[in-house]
Amino acid sequence: MDMEEKEIEYPKFKESMVKTHTILIPNMLPIHMSLFEQVLLQSGYKVEIMRNEGPDVVSEGLKYVHNDTCYPALLVIGQFIDNLNHRDDLDKVVCLITQTGGGCRASNYLHLLRKALIKAGYGYIPVVSLNMSNLEKDSGFKYTPKLIFKLAAALTYGDLIMYLNNKCRTYEKEKGATMALTEKWVKELSNQFANGKGTSYKAQKKNCYAISKSYDNLDLDLSHKKPKVGIVGEIYIKYAALGNNHLEDFLVSQDAEAMVPGLYGFMLYCFWNNIYDTEIYGRWKKKALITKFLLWFMQRREKIMIASMEGTKFTPMKLFKETKEMSEGVISHGTKMGEGWLLTAEMMELQEIGYENIICAQPFGCLPNHICGKGVMKKIKSLHPDANIVAIDYDPSATKVNQENRIKLMLAIAKERIKEDDKAEL
Ligand code: SF4
């Protein structure tokens, strides 16, 4: 068979569609996505964050994606098709999907989505790829420096608010006060973006300090220790409520504090891996120069975010370079498929900053996460004997009840330890 002859021409997202077509985006991180949505709207794109959930999402995914495929791909593609099934503006929509551009299967999600759309009868709908590797050169979606600058600011705010929101939710005296503050900040920052403000280094510094202070002023009941649980794992399953069955909400309902490492870590990990590849293989030198600049640019903003928590009651997260060092001796930095060594480093960091209880969210079909998650648990436990880590599998047939029961067992151990500590203190 002549492959070139058989190559399919997929519909492209052209510049002429920017004003007329709505870009559908999966909702991986609700706080971040609300801010990204505002930045994209402000840059002239029509966007809609998909919030559809329910059994139809999984069944559409199962129908149109091979059952060997990673669970995050199945869910995201199922969510697109379920969303399209309920629209009447099908000639004016575009699907946006992220690709890491690395060696992992996430780089193929774009093609999996295109194939699924054809099978579902939506082959005429363009798909746009959001990636850091320039995998699609003729797309109408343009990364201008201005857009990157704004998205970076939204990322800084998103990570800080997510972190502080999780720090306060379990301890709030007035029910709902934390979420109300979070919504207030998302609205305030969206307004700033809409008015062309909030993205400069100076503005980010001012906003980050104001955000940290406002959460520090919330009325919290810190008189009793509660289990502190870190969530790590594959990027989509770790963050998306659709993927992890609303894990953060479940932990709060069980009177535990949830902590999810920010998106900064993954972003900086991708940049750092590019530089590492150049050092090892001596190739892509020009690309490494750009990446070095981006790494420096983002790390400056990471410092503001962390420094803004100084003087508050919150223990901040570690800087990326410190987190990276923590994985040394546990896993090689050459392990960089999927979340790679970052997953291990995040588990080590969580141990250091007081989150000895960890849920490692593992999707079906994900080999890298099994190696860098489950594969290193024994080593982490040997270094941190109090580590209480549980790996939870997420796949279309795993029941929520089963997942929650396993988490409850982990929490029972955590609560028992708190009791023992309290007794010892008395
Ligand atoms: S990290 Fe895991 S789930 Fe994600 S694309 Fe790679 S193999 Fe699939």
Side-chain angles (χ1 to χ4, degrees):
M1 180 169 52
D2 186 345
M3 288 305 285
E4 273 177 34
E5 258 177 37
K6 295 278 170 205
E7 209 168 275
I8 301 168
E9 258 302 311
Y10 293 105
K12 290 260 159 50
F13 176 57
K14 301 194 185 96
E15 265 190 87
S16 57
M17 296 175 176
V18 169
K19 291 220 167 0
T20 53
H21 285 56
T22 304
I23 305 175
L24 300 179
I25 306 178
N27 190 17
M28 188 167 82
L29 289 131
I31 298 169
H32 295 66
M33 294 319 289
S34 301
L35 295 170
F36 292 158
E37 183 179 22
Q38 191 55 48
V39 168
L40 292 171
L41 285 170
Q42 231 244 321
S43 305
Y45 297 100
K46 286 172 79 180
V47 288
E48 186 182 311
I49 308 293
M50 292 188 294
R51 295 188 168 89
N52 51 315
E53 290 193 16
D56 286 354
V57 168
V58 179
S59 63
E60 292 299 332
L62 282 168
K63 224 190 280 177
Y64 297 110
V65 182
H66 193 279
N67 60 5
D68 250 4
T69 307
C70 320
Y71 185 51
L74 186 144
L75 272 183
V76 169
I77 294 170
Q79 194 182 30
F80 273 120
I81 293 175
D82 178 57
N83 190 293
L84 295 173
N85 288 347
H86 296 93
R87 304 187 73 93
D88 48 19
D89 59 345
L90 291 169
D91 55 337
K92 291 272 181 292
V93 283
V94 177
C95 300
L96 183 143
I97 196 155
T98 47
Q99 287 179 283
T100 56
C104 213
R105 290 200 276 183
S107 299
N108 295 320
Y109 282 11
L110 173 75
H111 308 288
L112 291 176
L113 174 60
R114 279 182 173 149
K115 276 172 76 179
L117 287 175
I118 292 172
K119 276 199 244 162
Y122 299 123
Y124 54 90
I125 293 180
V127 181
V128 57
S129 154
L130 187 67
N131 66 75
M132 290 186 286
S133 300
N134 211 12
L135 293 176
E136 281 218 303
K137 292 180 178 62
D138 52 351
S139 168
F141 195 88
K142 299 278 176 241
Y143 302 98
T144 59
K146 210 171 161 189
L147 179 62
I148 294 173
F149 206 57
K150 284 181 182 174
L151 288 173
L155 174 62
T156 310
Y157 297 135
D159 266 14
L160 181 62
I161 296 173
M162 179 174 77
Y163 188 79
L164 293 170
N165 182 64
N166 278 332
K167 278 267 176 205
C168 298
R169 261 179 92 189
T170 315
Y171 305 96
E172 64 191 10
K173 282 189 185 165
E174 188 195 330
K175 211 174 169 339
T178 311
M179 282 313 288
L181 182 60
T182 296
E183 279 161 22
K184 190 192 132 219
W185 271 114
V186 170
K187 214 168 157 194
E188 159 66 26
L189 294 166
S190 299
N191 281 340
Q192 287 189 22
F193 290 152
N195 293 311
K197 293 180 180 161
T199 52
S200 70
Y201 180 80
K202 213 172 141 194
Q204 283 181 64
K205 195 169 176 181
K206 193 173 164 218
N207 279 330
C208 283
Y209 277 83
I211 292 169
S212 293
K213 194 161 177 259
S214 66
Y215 282 90
D216 197 32
N217 287 339
L218 277 177
D219 203 4
L220 306 180
D221 179 5
L222 300 167
S223 56
H224 298 292
K225 279 192 201 153
K226 297 184 179 191
K228 296 169 83 174
V229 184
I231 303 171
V232 295
E234 190 277 336
I235 190 161
Y236 182 81
I237 298 295
K238 168 168 84 167
Y239 291 129
L242 173 65
N244 61 32
N245 288 324
H246 294 261
L247 181 55
E248 284 172 57
D249 292 343
F250 174 70
L251 287 171
V252 174
S253 76
Q254 297 300 303
D255 213 17
E257 178 191 323
M259 140 64 157
V260 202
L263 195 55
Y264 247 89
F266 187 76
M267 189 67 71
L268 296 174
Y269 156 85
C270 292
F271 292 154
W272 190 86
N273 284 344
N274 275 336
I275 298 165
Y276 181 82
D277 279 348
T278 306
E279 281 167 11
I280 298 290
Y281 305 114
R283 288 184 286 169
W284 309 298
K285 288 188 179 147
K286 201 171 150 202
K287 191 174 158 194
L289 274 179
I290 301 168
T291 318
K292 268 186 190 162
F293 167 75
L294 290 172
L295 192 65
W296 168 83
F297 178 87
M298 294 302 288
Q299 281 181 314
R300 274 191 86 206
R301 278 138 187 87
E302 186 197 27
K303 275 187 194 153
I304 316 174
M305 179 173 68
I306 293 178
S308 74
M309 278 180 260
E310 274 169 22
T312 67
K313 57 173 120 20
F314 309 115
T315 314
M317 63 289 251
K318 299 276 181 199
L319 287 167
F320 169 75
K321 67 175 181 19
E322 293 169 339
T323 309
K324 181 170 80 63
E325 277 162 20
M326 285 176 198
S327 61
E328 275 164 21
V330 185
I331 196 164
S332 160
H333 287 153
T335 320
K336 49 194 176 50
M337 293 297 132
E339 281 58 43
W341 59 261
L342 178 72
L343 202 167
T344 310
E346 284 180 345
M347 286 202 271
M348 293 294 285
E349 178 189 348
L350 287 166
Q351 295 301 313
E352 295 281 333
I353 61 171
Y355 293 82
E356 62 193 32
N357 312 297
I358 295 178
I359 294 170
C360 188
Q362 312 250 159
F364 173 80
C366 179
L367 183 64
N369 277 263
H370 281 273
I371 292 168
C372 308
K374 262 189 192 163
V376 296
M377 283 177 192
K378 199 171 163 204
K379 177 78 178 170
I380 293 178
K381 282 181 186 169
S382 73
L383 296 167
H384 296 276
D386 287 337
N388 179 21
I389 313 176
V390 62
I392 304 290
D393 292 324
Y394 290 88
D395 66 67
S397 60
T399 64
K400 193 176 178 211
V401 177
N402 248 336
Q403 290 159 349
E404 291 182 351
N405 281 343
R406 295 204 55 218
I407 297 167
K408 279 181 185 169
L409 272 178
M410 185 269 282
L411 288 174
I413 298 172
K415 286 178 183 168
E416 200 50 46
R417 283 184 182 167
I418 291 174
K419 267 191 209 157
E420 281 166 18
D421 286 351
D422 286 349
K423 262 192 218 160
E425 270 176 37
L426 274 172

